[in-house]
Amino acid sequence: MQVYSAPLRDMRFVLHELHDSAGHLEAIGRTDLNGELIDSILEEAAKFAQEVLLPINMSGDEEGCRYENGVVRTPRGFKEAYDMFRENGWGALSSPAEFGGQDLPEILSKMVEEMQCSANLSFGLYPGLTHGAVLAMLDHASEELKARYLPKMIDGTWSGTMNLTEAHCGTDLGLLRTRAVPQADGSYRLTGTKIFISAGEHDLTENIIHLVLARLPDAPKGVKGISLFVVPKFLPTDDGRPGQRNGVTCAGIEHKMGLKGSATCQLVFEDATGWLVGEVNKGLTGMFTMMNAERLSVGIQGLGVAETAYQSAAAYAKDRLQGRSLAGAKYPEKAADPIIVHPDVRRSLMTIRAYVEGCRALAGWVAKALDLETKATDPELRQQSEDFVALMTPVVKALFTDLSFEMSSMAVQIYGGHGYIRDHGIEQLVRDARITMIYEGANGIQALDLVGRKLPSHMGRLMRGFFHPVQQFIEDNASDPNVLPLAKAFGALQQATAHIAQAGMKDPEEAGAAATDYLRLLGLVALGYMWARTAKIANEKLPAANGDAGFYKAKLSTAQFFNDRLLPQAGALWGAIKAGKASMMALEDAAF
Ligand SMILES: Cc1cc2nc3c(=O)[nH]c(=O)nc-3n(C[C@H](O)[C@H](O)[C@H](O)COP(=O)(O)OP(=O)(O)OC[C@H]3O[C@@H](n4cnc5c(N)ncnc54)[C@H](O)[C@@H]3O)c2cc1C
């Protein structure tokens, strides 16, 4: 069985000690909230994840979704779990109170999201996309559309989807063909076929609200001719009930590597009635609101899966008896020592732990900025926070999900053959994690976004916003030997940034060739900074920690491991970046 118990102590550390929840609540004008209230919400969320979602994770994977004549049935237990999710208001945490949400900070709701993804990633996708659709409508839909759809989406009675992909059109949205024809009453008729639509059809909610990209008949070619529409499965009646069935049907679901409890649907739109969201031909702006939110959420999905991989592998390593410690038997009374005594198994466990806790700390920093970009009273702080979220969105998406797959695979290795077979559910984590590297923009595209858009944006302003606090921390703690590895990695990042800015300006292929390594390098430095700050706090708190001393000691050991064993990869990444595109581009296409 997969092992998962919400890491509440670590979450409290990230919230209150690392990211100063008290100061944060004040900065966003939420002095009505306090740490205790936040902790009690986390505890309830933990119970829901552990007691309701986790028990249907492996069974949902075994059973998968079923498709029968346009109807999709989710695995056993999903409907009951969703009803509880809705009744307990888990979908409304950070949504605005104006439409029935609870207006709670993102720094809290992202942790709740993490728990749900740890316990059951497939389940998490149903409400997850609704939240993104809500954000896109909040920013771009007319007041009438908001009033009609948002309250029911926020309270979870209706769910949302995101419809970009078509068979011939994945990354390159300029190729999309779905048509939208304007009608005299101001609505549009949509015709086309979308594929791979998560939660496109299911039995969890009474209505499904599709956000769909399509082209008007006279639209310019490419991405400049794409508009965004809201297309409900059932057309809402004036009193807000699901009325007449709209012209959108599910033609089938995909049979896929993982995420089997999540329905991935082919949707056929035949003269389906829809309404424009935002302006004609500016649909990507609205969709990007949804995509950016989803990209961060997909990063959180990766983190969630990796946490379960860690906990499961750690429990197994303490239990599985094989061989003797190289230093002599540690448990002579047993037939063999547990595999946790072996340095190589520890290398894997420490690697997963250091990445998972580092990513949680970084996610907290980004979630804090998400709150501040809209709620800080100081306009300068709002702008800085917006810059930081924009810079970190591709990093969180790609770094966390790449690591999630690598870390779940490491967990399989710790289980040996028992991880490869299905019994323990560890191979499921690898299969589930794999998609997170692909959807919401494949990770290679995230790297291009970082290097091609975010790095040069506002003459490097976004980058400077990240460099500044890291540099300041290094200078303020120059005498601390533990900060030296961060300073070295930061130096590599600065050089790589200058190199890419220069080489990429002359030759965009140079930037493209460096992009993935650069994203990992930036991610490593961001994690290094989180670990350095964590270690500083742990050192300060340890002398008076009493019962909590074990927690801070573990933080210090893990920070040391990150510095010794993981952060030095920064030098190799800079080496690869410096080497440039030549050997990558040398072979003729035909030689492959
Ligand atoms: C389970 C699942 C759920 C999904 N859910 C949704 C959903 O809800 N809504 C939705 O609209 N879509 C959804 N998708 C689609 C998903 O977002 C796409 O698969 C993804 O965007 C990549 O598109 P593609 O598969 O067509 O790959 P392609 O675009 O063909 O890309 C293939 C590879 O080429 C690379 N590549 C492509 N173009 C470039 C370039 N210009 N430069 C460098 N590299 C490039 C990519 O990085 C990728 O590695 C889902 C897919 C799956 C499998």
Side-chain angles (χ1 to χ4, degrees):
M1 279 297 286
Q2 295 151 353
V3 175
Y4 178 69
S5 163
L8 288 171
R9 178 63 186 95
D10 196 44
M11 288 179 164
R12 287 199 301 273
F13 172 80
V14 169
L15 270 168
H16 308 313
E17 297 169 69
L18 186 62
H19 294 309
D20 176 26
S21 61
H24 180 59
L25 291 174
E26 205 174 311
I28 60 171
R30 291 305 304 267
T31 41
D32 54 319
L33 300 172
N34 59 47
E36 272 170 34
L37 185 65
I38 286 182
D39 290 350
S40 64
I41 296 172
L42 286 178
E43 276 160 29
E44 286 309 308
K47 279 188 211 152
F48 179 70
Q50 290 158 200
E51 294 166 18
V52 179
L53 299 183
L54 187 65
I56 53 171
N57 193 29
M58 284 176 68
S59 59
D61 178 61
E62 285 282 340
E63 193 184 327
C65 293
R66 277 176 300 132
Y67 173 83
E68 286 155 18
N69 296 324
V71 176
V72 174
R73 309 243 175 261
T74 53
R76 248 166 308 178
F78 272 45
K79 171 75 179 133
E80 292 75 10
Y82 186 83
D83 287 345
M84 276 180 82
F85 173 90
R86 183 173 47 74
E87 281 156 19
N88 295 337
W90 290 120
L93 283 188
S94 59
S95 303
E98 185 191 353
F99 296 101
Q102 297 168 38
D103 226 349
L104 289 166
E106 289 286 354
I107 194 163
L108 163 68
S109 77
K110 285 279 171 273
M111 285 187 177
V112 173
E113 225 174 293
E114 184 203 312
M115 291 183 203
Q116 289 163 2
C117 295
S118 286
N120 195 325
L121 183 58
S122 285
F123 178 89
L125 245 75
Y126 292 99
L129 281 142
T130 309
H131 185 61
V134 164
L135 292 179
M137 290 188 69
L138 264 176
D139 277 4
H140 304 281
S142 67
E143 292 309 313
E144 193 191 335
L145 288 177
K146 285 187 206 172
R148 184 167 286 237
Y149 290 98
L150 290 185
K152 297 242 173 180
M153 291 171 80
I154 287 172
D155 78 9
T157 312
W158 298 350
S159 64
T161 71
M162 157 184 215
N163 290 248
L164 290 79
T165 309
E166 299 176 9
H168 58 284
C169 154
T171 302
D172 189 353
L173 290 174
L175 299 174
L176 80 80
R177 290 187 193 140
T178 297
R179 299 252 133 206
V181 180
Q183 305 296 301
D185 65 357
S187 69
Y188 291 78
R189 290 293 176 101
L190 276 81
T191 301
T193 301
K194 297 285 180 182
I195 64 164
F196 296 170
I197 305 307
S198 297
E201 177 60 41
H202 57 78
D203 54 4
L204 303 182
T205 56
E206 61 176 39
N207 204 356
I208 302 175
I209 312 304
H210 306 292
L211 285 192
V212 187
L213 289 182
R215 289 181 183 287
L216 266 58
D218 57 352
K221 284 208 168 105
V223 289
K224 293 199 170 132
I226 298 176
S227 305
L228 178 63
F229 301 88
V230 58
V231 183
K233 175 177 165 185
F234 293 102
L235 298 166
T237 58
D238 286 341
D239 58 354
R241 284 175 298 113
Q244 192 193 330
R245 180 78 202 236
N246 201 359
V248 49
T249 47
C250 177
I253 57 173
E254 302 300 339
H255 301 281
K256 49 197 196 289
M257 176 178 177
L259 212 65
K260 290 178 190 265
S262 162
T264 307
C265 304
Q266 182 179 341
L267 291 184
V268 179
F269 295 84
E270 285 170 300
D271 271 339
T273 301
W275 289 269
L276 185 71
V277 175
E279 290 177 45
V280 163
N281 296 335
K282 301 253 172 76
L284 277 189
T285 314
M287 201 43 119
F288 262 107
T289 304
M290 179 164 187
M291 283 202 282
N292 283 331
E294 294 298 347
R295 284 174 178 180
L296 287 175
S297 288
V298 173
I300 300 295
Q301 292 177 6
L303 167 60
V305 174
E307 171 68 37
T308 306
Y310 172 72
Q311 289 191 29
S312 304
Y316 188 78
K318 284 191 265 189
D319 190 52
R320 175 72 173 165
L321 305 180
Q322 291 293 300
R324 287 292 181 194
S325 161
L326 293 171
K330 287 229 167 119
Y331 297 83
E333 73 287 3
K334 295 187 176 173
D337 282 341
I339 60 172
I340 198 158
V341 303
H342 304 309
D344 190 57
V345 172
R346 280 174 168 263
R347 175 189 59 81
S348 300
L349 281 175
M350 288 305 292
T351 301
I352 311 176
R353 181 182 180 119
Y355 277 134
V356 165
E357 292 182 11
C359 286
R360 182 171 301 115
L362 179 56
W365 189 15
V366 178
K368 194 172 167 179
L370 266 180
D371 286 327
L372 291 169
E373 72 175 353
T374 53
K375 298 193 176 114
T377 41
D378 174 6
E380 203 178 323
L381 182 55
R382 276 209 302 273
Q383 185 59 62
Q384 283 166 2
S385 305
E386 191 183 318
D387 285 357
F388 184 64
V389 171
L391 179 73
M392 280 296 161
T393 296
V395 178
V396 166
K397 198 285 179 179
L399 176 76
F400 288 20
T401 60
D402 280 352
L403 287 175
S404 183
F405 179 67
E406 291 166 26
M407 297 307 106
S408 335
S409 180
M410 240 178 207
V412 168
Q413 198 69 17
I414 291 171
Y415 274 80
H418 297 274
Y420 191 73
I421 62 166
R422 299 192 84 155
D423 297 20
H424 292 278
I426 304 308
E427 53 81 45
Q428 181 195 347
L429 301 180
V430 180
R431 289 186 287 105
D432 283 358
R434 189 62 185 84
I435 185 58
T436 62
M437 299 161 70
I438 298 172
Y439 58 22
E440 287 310 333
N443 285 358
I445 303 301
Q446 303 300 324
L448 286 179
D449 177 44
L450 175 67
V451 161
R453 286 208 197 97
K454 305 296 165 60
L455 211 145
S457 172
H458 300 285
M459 313 278 286
R461 189 180 81 199
L462 275 57
M463 282 308 292
R464 286 195 299 279
F466 171 67
F467 281 179
H468 180 71
V470 181
Q471 178 130 37
Q472 192 66 53
F473 181 87
I474 292 170
E475 280 169 22
D476 291 349
N477 296 279
S479 59
D480 180 350
N482 290 324
V483 174
L484 202 64
L486 174 64
K488 262 176 103 172
F490 184 59
L493 176 65
Q494 284 178 308
Q495 285 177 288
T497 307
H499 169 82
I500 291 175
Q502 234 177 16
M505 192 101 82
K506 280 195 224 126
D507 177 1
E509 273 191 346
E510 282 292 352
T516 290
D517 290 327
Y518 181 77
L519 186 145
R520 178 62 74 107
L521 173 56
L522 198 159
L524 267 179
V525 170
L527 297 182
Y529 175 50
M530 290 295 99
W531 271 116
R533 283 182 47 196
T534 295
K536 188 173 159 70
I537 295 169
N539 268 322
E540 284 161 7
K541 296 235 168 149
L542 192 54
N546 297 327
D548 231 5
F551 176 81
Y552 294 113
K553 280 186 188 156
K555 279 289 181 205
L556 288 171
S557 298
T558 313
Q560 191 65 52
F561 179 87
F562 186 85
N563 275 351
D564 290 350
R565 294 289 187 141
L566 303 177
L567 198 49
Q569 290 167 24
L573 288 164
W574 166 219
I577 292 166
K578 228 180 340 190
K581 70 168 192 179
S583 57
M584 198 180 281
M585 303 307 280
L587 291 191
E588 296 294 331
D589 293 358
F592 283 92

